[in-house]
Amino acid sequence: MDPLLEGLRLVAAPDVLIAIFASAVYGLVVGSLPGLSATMATALLVPVTFWLSPIAAIATIITASAMAIFSGDIPGALLRIPGTPASAAYTDEAYAFTRKGQPELALGAGLWFSAIGGIVGTLSLMLLAPALAEVALSFSTYEYFWLALLGLMCATLVARSSPIKAIASMLLGLLIACIGMENPAGTPRFTFGIPDLLGGIEPIPALVGVFAVSEVMRAMASVEPPKMPFRRFGSILANQWKLTKQYQWPMWRGNFVGIVIGVLPGAGADMAAWVSYAMSKKFSKTPEKFGTGHAEGLVEAGASNNASLASGWVPSLLFGIPGDTITAIAIGVLYMKGLNPGPTLFTERAGSMYALYIIFILANIIMIPLGIVMIRVASRVLRAPRAAVMPIILLLCAVGSFATGNNLFSVLLVGLFGCLGYVMEKNGYPIAAMVLGIVMGNMVEQSFITSLIKSDGDVLPFFERPVSAFLAALTLGALFWPVAAWAWKRLAPRRAPAAVG
Amino acid sequence: MNATRRRTLLGASGALLAAPALGQPRWPARPIQMICPWAAGGGTDAVLRIIATLLEKDLGQPINVVNRTGGSGVVGHAAIASANPDGYTMGIITSEICMLHWQGLTEVTFRNFTPLGLMNNDPAGIQVASNGPHQDVRALAEAVKASRPGQFKASGTGQGGIWHLSLAGWLMAIGVPATHVRWVPSNGAAPAMQDLVAGGLDFTTNSVVEARAMLDANRARSLAVMATERLGAFPNIPTLKEAMGIDYSNGAWRGIAGPPNLPAAVRTAMNAALDRVFKSSEYVAFMNSRGFGLTYADAEGFGRHLAASDAALGDAMKAAGLARS
Amino acid sequence: MQLSDRITGGALVLLGAAAAWGGSKLPAVPGQDVGPAAFPMLIGFGLIFCGSLIAFGVGRSFEVEEEPQENSGSLMARLGLRVLVPPALLLFYALAVDHLGFLLTAGVMVFLGALALRASVKLALPLAIIAPFFVHLAFYRLLRVPLPEGLLGAPW
């Protein structure tokens, strides 16, 4: 029997369709709550999958994770509270739209380009899986080191601030990531004897603190802004086709970068969004508009992070290596349901594999109507008085961070990070750069230290392999950009004194 | 469908549990909380959740799994040990509880728990890349003995993790110092297996289960398993005893335990319930599908296992210089 | 909390020095040449470098001027302490929730938070009564987060 038809037959079963719909709604709701990540939404589904047929079980995981990643953008755009580390890269951009009174444009772009990214990512999974898997397997720790460093360098590009302050913020994030014993040496560092610090600082409480709590703190210190004139929420999809044509090239670049980063185990949607947003700004004709409510970066990063979600399944399906935390959970479910990862899955169980692809595409298609409903419901929050919304956000911050590990220590962390975020923001230190440092810290150190251990302290292997040499060149280029830009600024006035204001 | 099934099982379990002492409310009279010291979605979480689902049917009360993460397992283990011993808060404990205190990271040891049942054990294996030079474990051992210190690189988990200790134990068993092979710390077994296949390592000593996908893909081979008998799911892999006459075994285990001084009634009831859970076809099917090793010991046997494991891991940690003196 | 670049830059230098010093005190790992000290020391020196550059005003020209605040000086002073209300409420939540239970703690938190944002009691009171129930419903029922019951249990 044709595997494609077999796949269609498997997906068309009523229990699978119900599972897709129910988990879509579930993923949208959970992802939009601050502090609850897509990983958490997926993990909570695992006990439910015990009772489902194999295809329905996988369908719930795929659908819920795709929905949760998209809906993480909703609180980011409306309230400046990113739902996931992936959306932290462009939260300020999306929130700038809301302040201009066009939240529907930012959210619509998030929805539309997420769906496109998801579908393109799935196609890459279908057509290129074996080739992509070989790329993933050829990456050793040296390549990962350069990749991680390149990711960190995005901090200077993303921020609308002094590059030196951006680097300082990122270093602060890296220092925070040093806390605990989850380092290559397994030695507790900077724990000050507090057992809760042994496991390190989780990105979610830090993220919620620096973005959401500091936003509530700012609200306390300012007078309520005048209400925006009441206006019907515009059509959500109307402008997206125009954007698709206008920013076609960034969109494809975002898809491509997302697919490549997603395939590499350990570098998931978070990094894809950051790198794509930074690339978009770097190659844009109008980089000065970034951060003021400009769609270009949203298009590229939105496409990128969902594309990486789909291609992240490649190493998981072929070698059982999780591409990110979500696929780590999914691998468990695959084994449980007898769909053991491995090359044989693609040959002997081709029908099931096609079913999986179809579910991916289906999930990204129903994301559009469900997402529109979700955006319309969520945007009511903007019309509520600020004094009613902000306290509830604070409560959600407390409960959401508690839920990450059922540990009250996280609630204290959220408060501390709120203060830190507030002070940093007031003094021109970009908080997104610090979040990037926290998210990437472990990968940077891990790849750096293990590479040194493997090479017995020799630096040469960092540059020897062809891929690592290429990545090294890119990274060093990005590293010296701020210095060059600074020198340029200092020299420029002498050549054109009238240009300085 | 589930509801009816649950109801019949509930009735059956009610009949099985004979009425206890009169005048006392039958345990469990309300929902039970089960603490998991590791994050949702991981292996320990999965094992605890299947046990909880089956216990729920068996005991007729909801069982809530709560992930108390943080501190590399320290926080959750301490939460189980310090819970109110009323029989309504218990949890799953893992090999790490016999390791963390040797490193001076916690005061909590296995003595701070009431063992209820050992539910799973995943033995370590020795894996090499399939295009590597060593065909069997004896050849690998000879090559390791002939190498200079630090020349061979192995991995499987972080520094001082359970698989680092399986390497140290094996090296001591073949008569070389525990630090003769350089340990490359990794974020768990999956990245280590990837680096093995990418050519960055000589061998890995993580559990055979964690190597499964790479073994199936013919990218890696498992030369031996560090267990007393061959694994049901991997009958072709010889034990260390068979392959080179070494009596050494090591593995990551998981068991259910409660705080000290649990009431005797709870202990007996839990012991019987865990026994039924372990023998249930659902548990066996789940564990086999995930490749998790089915090893069971009742409360008493689990207690002996804890003491033995604590001593053995302590010795390996001291030899590898990982224990705090 | 607008501080001069000299102060924030100086603070970063001190933090970097502390990180490098603390890192250098970390014990070496037996059997490894590269220990836990390398990375914090590297970051520490990086922070010292960046902090001194900031303190000397390098890179200032890149910064976008903060939007002018509408608040006058006296208003700022009056609002200054309010900024600390959110972290204080989070601290209160962490300390009180196990004793008072979720619904009461959350109610107090929302009530005080709303008042601090100049809501009328007519808005704050109903909000503080209703909102915790919905949050409890979503997190406790749907997501099975073990929120403590304390003095006042939820009806479900």
Side-chain angles (χ1 to χ4, degrees), chain A residues 406-458:
Chain A
N406 296 316
N407 196 337
L408 280 171
F409 186 71
S410 319
V411 181
L412 294 177
L413 276 184
V414 166
L416 281 177
F417 274 99
C419 299
L420 183 63
Y422 181 77
V423 173
M424 284 175 67
E425 188 95 310
K426 280 278 174 206
N427 292 291
Y429 290 87
I431 51 178
M434 185 182 77
V435 170
L436 181 70
I438 297 177
V439 172
M440 302 280 304
N442 190 283
M443 183 177 167
V444 179
E445 180 175 15
Q446 185 78 32
S447 55
F448 178 56
I449 301 291
T450 50
S451 297
L452 277 179
I453 289 175
K454 276 163 41 184
S455 70
D456 295 317
D458 193 357

Side-chain angles (χ1 to χ4, degrees), chain A residues 235-465:
Chain A
S235 165
I236 290 170
L237 287 183
N239 291 310
Q240 301 311 330
W241 184 242
K242 211 180 88 207
L243 285 178
T244 312
K245 279 191 287 184
Q246 189 182 352
Y247 296 124
Q248 205 186 42
W249 171 230
M251 181 189 85
W252 288 113
R253 197 170 50 203
N255 282 329
F256 175 77
V257 168
I259 289 167
V260 171
I261 291 181
V263 158
L264 301 170
D270 306 353
M271 198 171 160
W274 282 91
V275 171
S276 286
Y277 185 78
M279 271 180 74
S280 184
K281 185 172 176 185
K282 189 88 192 117
F283 293 112
S284 169
K285 289 192 195 82
T286 52
E288 71 282 356
K289 283 192 190 162
F290 275 70
T292 62
H294 184 60
E296 194 173 349
L298 290 184
V299 169
E300 186 156 346
S304 174
N305 81 31
N306 273 54
S308 77
L309 202 62
S311 72
W313 284 69
V314 170
S316 317
L317 290 170
L318 270 167
F319 303 109
I321 306 170
D324 52 26
T325 43
I326 293 168
T327 42
I329 298 168
I331 288 172
V333 175
L334 285 169
Y335 272 123
M336 197 168 72
K337 295 297 178 187
L339 293 164
N340 292 10
T344 51
L345 186 60
F346 288 76
T347 50
E348 287 164 23
R349 308 289 297 267
S352 303
M353 280 307 296
Y354 273 97
L356 211 142
Y357 301 143
I358 294 165
I359 291 166
F360 257 112
I361 292 180
L362 212 59
N364 279 294
I365 291 172
I366 63 166
M367 183 199 271
I368 292 178
L370 289 177
I372 290 177
V373 175
M374 186 72 196
I375 292 172
R376 293 222 179 268
V377 174
S379 60
R380 282 171 199 276
V381 134
L382 290 180
R383 269 185 244 148
R386 195 178 67 163
V389 175
M390 289 293 172
I392 294 173
I393 288 174
L394 198 63
L395 179 60
L396 285 174
C397 293
V399 185
S401 57
F402 173 72
T404 55
N406 296 316
N407 196 337
L408 280 171
F409 186 71
S410 319
V411 181
L412 294 177
L413 276 184
V414 166
L416 281 177
F417 274 99
C419 299
L420 183 63
Y422 181 77
V423 173
M424 284 175 67
E425 188 95 310
K426 280 278 174 206
N427 292 291
Y429 290 87
I431 51 178
M434 185 182 77
V435 170
L436 181 70
I438 297 177
V439 172
M440 302 280 304
N442 190 283
M443 183 177 167
V444 179
E445 180 175 15
Q446 185 78 32
S447 55
F448 178 56
I449 301 291
T450 50
S451 297
L452 277 179
I453 289 175
K454 276 163 41 184
S455 70
D456 295 317
D458 193 357
V459 218
L460 209 64
F462 282 84
F463 301 92
E464 270 177 349
R465 304 160 60 110

Side-chain angles (χ1 to χ4, degrees), chain C residues 5 24 32 37 51 123-124:
Chain C
D5 276 359
S24 70
Q32 305 283 18
L123 172 67

